[in-house]
């Protein structure tokens, strides 16, 4: 696996992975151009997408009729220099005629067996999650590998 970033100006960079470009930046208040997410924000997207790929794949393989899957990620930052994630909380919002049991099993499998990004980040901070099925909270758990 490889990735490349190229400096643009201020604190703005363009990332390139397999020909796909992504803008990385920070806010105007932090001295840049606000042209894209920060690297830490990209990590939150990465854990969400990694887990989402697991969950969607598991539910598809089990022939569960998934209609929507939205994942919200929030991290609290330490007050240290450098700052890093003190903890991460994910909310999996699953929509469709997915069974309650399979929704929980798919999320648990991702957070304890399959999500490599969760595995890496769980080495430095706790990761908790809630599972909502059609708007109803059905489970809470913690990433444990």
């Amino acid at each position: 696996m490889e990735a490349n970033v190229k400096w643009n100006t201020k604190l703005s960079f363009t990332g390139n992975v397999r020909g796909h470009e992504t803008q990385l930046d920070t806010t105007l208040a932090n001295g840049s151009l606000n042209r894209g997410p920060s690297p830490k924000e990209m990590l939150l997207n990465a854990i969400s997408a990694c887990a989402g790929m697991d969950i969607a794949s598991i539910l598809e393989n089990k022939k569960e009729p998934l209609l929507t899957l939205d994942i919200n990620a929030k991290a609290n930052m330490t007050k240290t220099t450098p700052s890093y994630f003190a903890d991460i909380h994910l909310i999996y919002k699953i929509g469709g005629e997915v069974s309650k049991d399979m929704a929980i099993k798919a999320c648990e499998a991702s957070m304890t067996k399959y999500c490599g990004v969760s595995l890496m980040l769980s080495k430095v901070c706790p990761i908790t999650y809630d599972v909502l099925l059609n708007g109803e909270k059905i489970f809470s758990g913690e990433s444990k590998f």
Side-chain angles (χ1 to χ4, degrees):
M1 182 177 298
E2 293 183 25
N4 183 47
V5 295
K6 180 180 177 183
W7 177 69
N8 299 318
T9 186
K10 301 253 184 201
L11 300 175
S12 175
F13 289 80
T14 300
N16 192 310
V17 176
R18 295 180 286 110
H20 302 283
E21 288 190 348
T22 304
Q23 297 301 311
L24 293 101
D25 204 349
T26 190
T27 62
L28 296 171
N30 285 333
S32 199
L33 306 171
N34 196 33
R35 290 186 177 165
S38 72
K40 291 173 191 164
E41 291 166 329
M42 290 293 285
L43 277 174
L44 289 179
N45 270 346
I47 191 173
S48 298
C50 185
M53 289 177 188
D54 295 336
I55 294 163
S57 177
I58 291 166
L59 294 175
E60 181 181 336
N61 287 339
K62 296 295 184 180
K63 308 262 189 272
E64 292 284 332
L66 178 66
L67 293 178
T68 60
L69 176 58
D70 296 323
I71 303 163
N72 297 79
K74 181 178 181 183
N76 291 307
M77 303 301 296
T78 65
K79 304 290 185 209
T80 60
T81 301
S83 68
Y84 56 93
F85 297 151
D87 57 71
I88 298 170
H89 185 72
L90 303 168
I91 301 174
Y92 299 108
K93 298 177 182 179
I94 299 170
E97 296 301 315
V98 175
S99 73
K100 184 177 177 179
D101 188 49
M102 278 311 306
I104 293 168
K105 285 182 180 180
C107 293
E108 276 188 307
S110 178
M111 291 288 95
T112 62
K113 188 175 181 182
Y114 295 118
C115 180
V117 178
S118 179
L119 168 66
M120 288 185 279
L121 291 175
S122 69
K123 302 290 184 188
V124 295
C125 71
I127 302 168
T128 57
Y129 61 95
D130 293 327
V131 180
L132 280 66
L133 179 59
N134 298 317
E136 176 189 348
K137 183 176 174 181
I138 60 169
F139 187 78
S140 293
E142 185 172 346
S143 180
K144 299 276 187 188
F145 284 87

